[in-house]
Amino acid sequence: MCGICGIIGKTEEKEQVLKGMMKAIEHRGPDGSESYIAREAALGFQRLSIIDLDTGMQPMFNEDGSKVLVFNGEIYNYWILKDLLVQKGHRFRTTSDSEILLHGYEEFGQELLGRLRGMFSFAVWDEQKGELFAARDFFGIKPFYYAVIGGTLVFASEIKSILAYPGYERRMNEEALEQYLSFQYSVLPETFFKGIYQLLPGHYLTYKDHMLQIVRYFKPSLKPDGQESCRKMIKDVEDMMRLSVRRHLVSDVEAGSFLSGGVDSGLIAAIAGCVKTFTVGFSDEGALYDETGDARKLADTLHLENSCKFIGKEEFEQAVPEVLYYLDEPSGDASAVALYFLAKEAAKEVKVVLSGEGSDEIFGGYNIYREPEMLRFVDWLPGSLRCWAAKQARHLPKQMKGRGYLMRAALPVRERYIGNACIFREEEKVRLLKGEVTRTAKELLSDTYDEVGHLSASEQMQSVDLRYWLPGDILQKADRMSMAHSLELRVPFLDWDVFQMARKLPCRMKLGGHTTKYILRRAAAFYLPRPASAKKKLGFPVPIRNWLKEDGWYERVKEAFTGESAQTFFCTDYLVELLDEHRADRADNSRKIWTVYVFLLWYKIFFESQGNIDYNRKRTYRARG
């Protein structure tokens, strides 16, 4: 796990510029740094030593020095690929997984990507051809950003590294804000910074003679067939998860595991046998916000160590600006802050940690996926009657139970579901934003729904989350919050073979038995006691809905909502109305309030302060090796 960056094209004082870009992502790799400088290219590398501690430094060269690699991630099947490449005549100088990419690209070109098993973003510069090839992994576990600035391609693992390039003029992308208010995360290829783009998951790019080409090589799609028996699928899930966890433990340093006390992290920890596990909670906020008790019981059952961190509301609030700095873009997902503290605790003891991201998206773990089944009770009603009931429901008190059910019952899935989070509806965005809404969330997702329209409603929802929510929210915060503490986070559920098996599961094997992740829970029961294998998902719950009603939090948020930045983008009277309504218990507006509030904090950091709130420089890295 590392940080990479590069400049392709002529740039004045290229070496000094590259050093500034590398410094901005030092937290991703504090174990060492190296660079490659040529007439048309400059590549930078910050190393976090995990595999081949002695000789795995980058940039890395092929035999004749004509190709240069920088790579962020891990390739878990590198020994198999190495044997194949040696048979084809390639000579290796190291035992690192990085060198596999260099020789593999020489041998197979872009076809190498289909042979890889792991998480990756990497770039290969071909000095002879004057061409850059860069790729991002199947699901978007590892990030890759780029911008073309004055005819020069600039790329990096994080946006802040591109911001350090002197030719970039910092401007905000207001369409990103429009979509963020719906999705709670940055959903577009173009980021919140105008002209800076993310290379989307399952894509690669080439850059030569000032020509940029982007190609999609993988798209996560569900292919339910229902041919296998339930017993056979339980055995397949168990076998694949054992294989995946074993792959993800390949390391020359100690690995630990996150542990919530639920099925996802519990199954990984049980199979891995990692001695050290880590948990966070909010001890003074009630059982809903504290999973530490369940985690400790499970750790005792599995004979594992468990370290718990209790997060106080003051330290939570103080950490938010630092979290936003590391995220690069605003995120309305408050669990990112909890994950920040969890990664911080784990990094005190290990350099690698296993985590359960991806399980819900591929095995059907969100309760919202059961909604189509629950809505069948009104499916027999004529559409006109359901629409009438939905219109009437809008006039009911917001806190009234059943109001949301009636409002959603009238709509087909593509009209009502944009992902696991839906913060502001389109009519609310029109009321909130000072500028016009250029594209609705429904319009943004229309092509995806056209592609998956043959699937069941629940599987359509799952497909949307696989393509948007998983990389945009879940994996983005997992990468940034772990790397903020120089910690490598690995996700066994997003193994290629696990996905190829899970994508074939019919709906009844995901949402059967009046639960979610039915097959996974059955397989996990061989390893976990029933409380853990059957536990309802909580997902880093954070008590912001309670805190926002307290005087101190209320006043600070209100000050932000009526400030100059808020007045630039929003109708502030509406923001204050949402805040007062929430405080008076007339509605739970906590997610709306938090989504806007963290955007304003993010804007202050990256635009009003121009990124000078540099928490990265204050960190003292612990000794490595």
Side-chain angles (χ1 to χ4, degrees):
M1 191 75 68
C2 306
I4 63 175
C5 59
I7 304 167
I8 309 300
K10 291 185 172 67
T11 300
E12 293 184 8
E13 299 182 346
K14 186 180 294 182
E15 186 172 358
Q16 287 302 115
V17 171
L18 187 67
K19 284 182 179 179
M21 293 175 64
M22 293 168 63
K23 188 67 175 176
I25 52 173
E26 185 181 26
H27 53 279
R28 296 188 70 91
D31 292 339
S33 63
E34 291 288 348
S35 61
Y36 164 82
I37 308 291
R39 187 171 66 89
E40 291 292 331
L43 305 180
F45 180 71
Q46 292 290 150
R47 188 182 189 199
L48 181 63
S49 303
I50 302 295
I51 293 176
D52 189 3
L53 306 183
D54 296 326
T55 64
M57 195 62 183
Q58 303 174 37
M60 191 171 284
F61 302 85
N62 65 342
E63 295 93 332
D64 63 7
S66 63
K67 294 182 177 63
V68 193
L69 166 82
V70 285
F71 159 55
N72 170 30
E74 302 290 351
I75 306 300
Y76 302 121
N77 63 334
Y78 71 99
W79 284 110
I80 297 172
L81 292 174
K82 183 175 183 177
D83 289 343
L84 174 62
L85 290 166
V86 168
Q87 291 174 20
K88 291 180 176 291
H90 292 269
R91 301 191 306 275
F92 285 77
R93 301 172 181 173
T94 74
T95 58
S96 74
D97 56 337
S98 306
E99 199 172 359
I100 296 298
L101 298 174
L102 193 57
H103 295 293
Y105 180 67
E106 279 188 295
E107 183 68 33
F108 303 113
Q110 67 202 45
E111 300 302 319
L112 167 68
L113 301 174
R115 298 173 179 264
L116 301 177
R117 300 293 178 264
M119 54 182 182
F120 55 85
S121 67
F122 68 90
V124 177
W125 169 248
D126 189 321
E127 181 67 29
Q128 293 177 344
K129 292 182 179 179
E131 180 179 59
L132 182 81
F133 176 86
R136 190 177 178 199
D137 64 60
F138 310 108
F139 302 103
I141 305 169
K142 293 290 100 192
F144 190 97
Y145 295 95
Y146 67 93
V148 178
I149 305 167
T152 296
L153 178 72
V154 183
F155 70 86
S157 295
E158 295 184 12
I159 294 172
K160 61 178 65 65
S161 181
I162 299 177
L163 297 179
Y165 183 80
Y168 177 72
E169 180 184 349
R170 198 174 303 206
R171 292 183 296 137
M172 204 192 88
N173 176 16
E174 295 201 22
E175 187 183 356
L177 173 59
E178 293 175 16
Q179 301 303 336
Y180 165 77
L181 293 173
S182 294
F183 291 89
Q184 87 170 14
Y185 58 91
S186 180
V187 71
L188 301 175
E190 187 175 23
T191 69
F192 267 81
F193 297 89
K194 198 71 177 173
I196 300 180
Y197 297 82
Q198 60 165 319
L199 183 62
L200 294 174
H203 285 68
Y204 68 82
L205 67 77
T206 58
Y207 188 75
K208 181 180 181 180
D209 297 331
H210 305 289
M211 295 294 294
L212 177 68
Q213 183 179 17
I214 297 175
V215 178
R216 185 168 204 161
Y217 71 88
F218 173 77
K219 182 185 296 183
S221 58
L222 303 179
K223 298 286 184 181
D225 59 24
Q227 299 299 312
E228 302 289 353
S229 68
C230 186
R231 180 177 297 179
K232 172 70 163 52
M233 293 310 301
I234 292 171
K235 183 66 167 60
D236 286 349
V237 169
E238 180 189 1
D239 290 344
M240 285 300 176
M241 285 307 302
R242 286 177 62 87
L243 174 62
S244 177
V245 171
R246 188 160 61 245
R247 283 176 178 166
H248 284 73
L249 285 173
V250 174
S251 173
D252 291 332
V253 297
E254 183 181 9
S257 181
F258 290 160
L259 189 65
S260 69
V263 62
D264 300 336
S265 60
L267 178 59
I268 290 173
I271 294 175
C274 296
V275 174
K276 295 177 180 177
T277 63
F278 307 91
T279 310
V280 295
F282 299 87
S283 60
D284 58 343
E285 299 292 340
L288 177 62
Y289 302 105
D290 182 22
E291 297 185 278
T292 58
D294 291 337
R296 281 173 171 164
K297 290 178 184 177
L298 182 56
D300 288 343
T301 301
L302 299 176
H303 306 291
L304 305 174
E305 296 178 16
N306 182 244
S307 299
C308 295
K309 162 67 178 177
F310 295 103
I311 307 169
K313 59 187 173 186
E314 289 186 4
E315 64 176 334
F316 180 96
E317 186 179 18
Q318 290 170 1
V320 173
E322 186 168 351
V323 167
L324 291 170
Y325 170 79
Y326 283 114
L327 284 171
D328 278 337
E329 298 186 88
S331 171
D333 189 344
S335 68
V337 187
L339 184 55
Y340 171 86
F341 282 103
L342 180 59
K344 184 177 182 179
E345 292 304 304
K348 294 175 182 178
E349 300 190 45
V350 296
K351 290 180 71 171
V352 174
V353 69
L354 305 186
S355 189
E357 280 81 1
S359 171
D360 294 310
E361 289 77 17
I362 67 171
F363 284 106
Y366 295 116
N367 286 321
I368 191 68
Y369 296 160
R370 297 180 59 212
E371 184 183 68
E373 173 66 15
M374 292 185 285
L375 291 178
R376 67 184 176 84
F377 295 108
V378 296
D379 278 350
W380 60 273
L381 293 172
S384 58
L385 184 56
R386 295 203 305 271
C387 287
W388 176 85
K391 290 180 181 179
Q392 300 306 308
R394 291 186 184 276
H395 301 294
L396 296 173
K398 291 183 179 181
Q399 68 271 29
M400 184 172 180
K401 192 172 182 179
R403 177 178 180 267
Y405 178 91
L406 289 174
M407 290 170 61
R408 297 169 70 82
L411 302 172
V413 64
R414 66 184 297 154
E415 297 282 339
R416 69 175 185 262
Y417 190 77
I418 66 165
N420 210 264
C422 179
I423 306 302
F424 288 94
R425 299 190 307 273
E426 295 303 325
E427 61 269 26
E428 293 174 322
K429 283 163 59 177
V430 170
R431 185 179 175 190
L432 174 60
L433 286 167
K434 283 193 170 179
E436 292 186 4
V437 176
T438 59
R439 180 166 46 156
T440 67
K442 183 181 72 173
E443 290 169 343
L444 189 148
L445 298 179
S446 61
D447 288 345
T448 298
Y449 270 113
D450 288 344
E451 291 178 20
V452 303
H454 62 286
L455 299 172
S456 70
S458 294
E459 288 162 338
Q460 291 180 51
M461 298 162 74
Q462 189 181 353
S463 298
V464 167
D465 283 342
L466 269 169
R467 298 186 189 183
Y468 293 92
W469 168 259
L470 176 62
D473 185 290
I474 300 297
L475 295 177
Q476 193 259 6
K477 71 184 180 188
D479 173 81
R480 300 307 191 283
M481 296 300 94
S482 58
M483 293 310 294
H485 302 289
S486 310
L487 177 73
E488 175 167 294
L489 185 146
R490 298 180 176 182
V491 283
F493 282 109
L494 292 179
D495 177 85
W496 172 269
D497 294 319
V498 173
F499 176 71
Q500 292 302 319
M501 177 268 303
R503 70 195 291 248
K504 299 177 183 178
L505 291 171
C507 223
R508 60 184 171 82
M509 293 190 186
K510 291 177 283 192
L511 303 175
H514 304 290
T515 188
T516 59
K517 291 183 288 196
Y518 176 71
I519 283 290
L520 181 66
R521 294 181 190 278
R522 292 284 302 273
F526 292 110
Y527 298 87
L528 305 176
R530 178 165 175 77
S533 63
K535 183 182 176 185
K536 183 179 178 181
K537 181 178 179 62
L538 290 180
F540 285 129
V542 179
I544 57 170
R545 69 178 63 183
N546 301 334
W547 296 343
L548 288 170
K549 298 174 185 177
E550 297 178 3
D551 290 345
W553 280 61
Y554 170 83
E555 293 299 335
R556 284 188 289 276
V557 174
K558 186 174 182 179
E559 181 181 3
F561 279 7
T562 56
E564 185 176 345
S565 296
Q567 293 175 35
T568 301
F569 299 104
F570 306 116
C571 297
T572 57
D573 288 346
Y574 181 43
L575 289 178
V576 174
E577 178 184 325
L578 291 173
L579 186 61
D580 289 342
E581 191 176 52
H582 179 80
R583 193 185 196 194
D585 276 331
R586 293 194 299 270
D588 181 2
N589 293 329
S590 56
R591 296 182 73 183
K592 290 181 170 68
I593 293 167
W594 186 255
T595 298
V596 175
Y597 180 58
V598 295
F599 164 76
L600 293 171
L601 291 179
W602 168 86
Y603 186 81
K604 181 177 181 179
I605 293 169
F606 282 96
F607 284 88
E608 294 179 356
S609 300
Q610 292 292 295
N612 291 326
I613 303 178
D614 196 344
Y615 297 93
N616 186 32
R617 306 295 186 266
K618 298 178 182 178
R619 187 172 303 284
T620 300
Y621 297 107
R622 61 186 171 90
R624 299 293 195 178

